[in-house]
Amino acid sequence: MGDYALVLLDSGVRDVDYGTRRSHTELRFDVGAARLGVKRLGSATPELLKNCHPNMTGQEKGATWFWTGECARAVAVEKALAAGDSAQFGCYLSQSHDDARRMAGLTVPGFDLLVELAMSRPECAGARFSGSPTHGGVVCLVHRSSVDRFLTN
């Protein structure tokens, strides 16, 4: 990634309810796909999403929009990395975290705080939670020459 390095921060967050919340979110993914008439959300088209099933709850719609956005973002990330555009990759990391929090309720306050703190540092180009709060952390894209300063601040 050229001038950037990936830095993993241990969240130190332990959330015993996360597994239950994640199961509920995954169920919303499954319900969203079924109500859209597709086997998996990655195959849903933007036109199909615009006409979300009227019986979908707000949470089901949020989870559906989040997951289909993640699929599209994965394609865009691949292109950014192939072009050597690490800064754009950093933007995608942060967008992914924000969407996971806002649309799907997949993050916890500890992760959100770490991402916010990381992004407040000028040497950080993007940050996103990774894993689960019981054994996860935050992945940060940091300018290689500033990694030590980033980790000490």
Side-chain angles (χ1 to χ4, degrees):
M1 281 186 276
D3 293 338
Y4 291 88
L6 288 175
V7 175
L8 179 62
L9 305 175
D10 183 351
S11 67
V13 174
R14 302 301 176 251
D15 182 358
V16 295
D17 295 328
Y18 179 78
T20 302
R21 279 201 315 279
R22 184 163 179 93
S23 294
H24 290 168
T25 300
E26 289 171 355
L27 177 62
R28 289 192 296 265
F29 292 158
D30 293 342
V31 168
R35 292 198 177 170
L36 290 173
V38 295
K39 288 187 178 183
R40 56 188 181 82
L41 289 177
S43 61
T45 63
E47 297 79 32
L48 194 57
L49 287 173
K50 286 179 186 173
N51 299 313
C52 277
H53 194 282
N55 293 330
M56 288 178 107
T57 67
Q59 290 179 332
E60 290 166 354
K61 286 180 184 177
T64 300
W65 276 98
F66 165 71
W67 190 250
T68 53
E70 282 294 276
C71 294
R73 194 171 4 254
V75 173
V77 162
E78 184 178 17
K79 289 178 182 177
L81 291 175
D85 193 347
S86 297
Q88 183 62 55
F89 172 59
C91 289
Y92 290 140
L93 277 176
S94 296
Q95 288 172 354
S96 176
H97 180 84
D98 187 52
D99 287 353
R101 178 187 53 76
R102 210 172 27 83
M103 294 178 174
L106 285 176
T107 70
V108 294
F111 279 144
D112 297 337
L113 178 60
L114 265 181
V115 168
E116 183 180 324
L117 291 171
M119 290 304 299
S120 73
R121 304 291 309 151
E123 50 280 326
C124 184
R128 183 197 195 287
F129 81 98
S130 179
S132 77
T134 58
H135 59 277
V138 172
V139 176
C140 305
L141 185 66
V142 177
H143 201 276
R144 192 173 299 281
S145 64
S146 303
V147 169
D148 289 337
R149 180 176 55 220
F150 178 78
L151 290 172
T152 57
N153 293 322

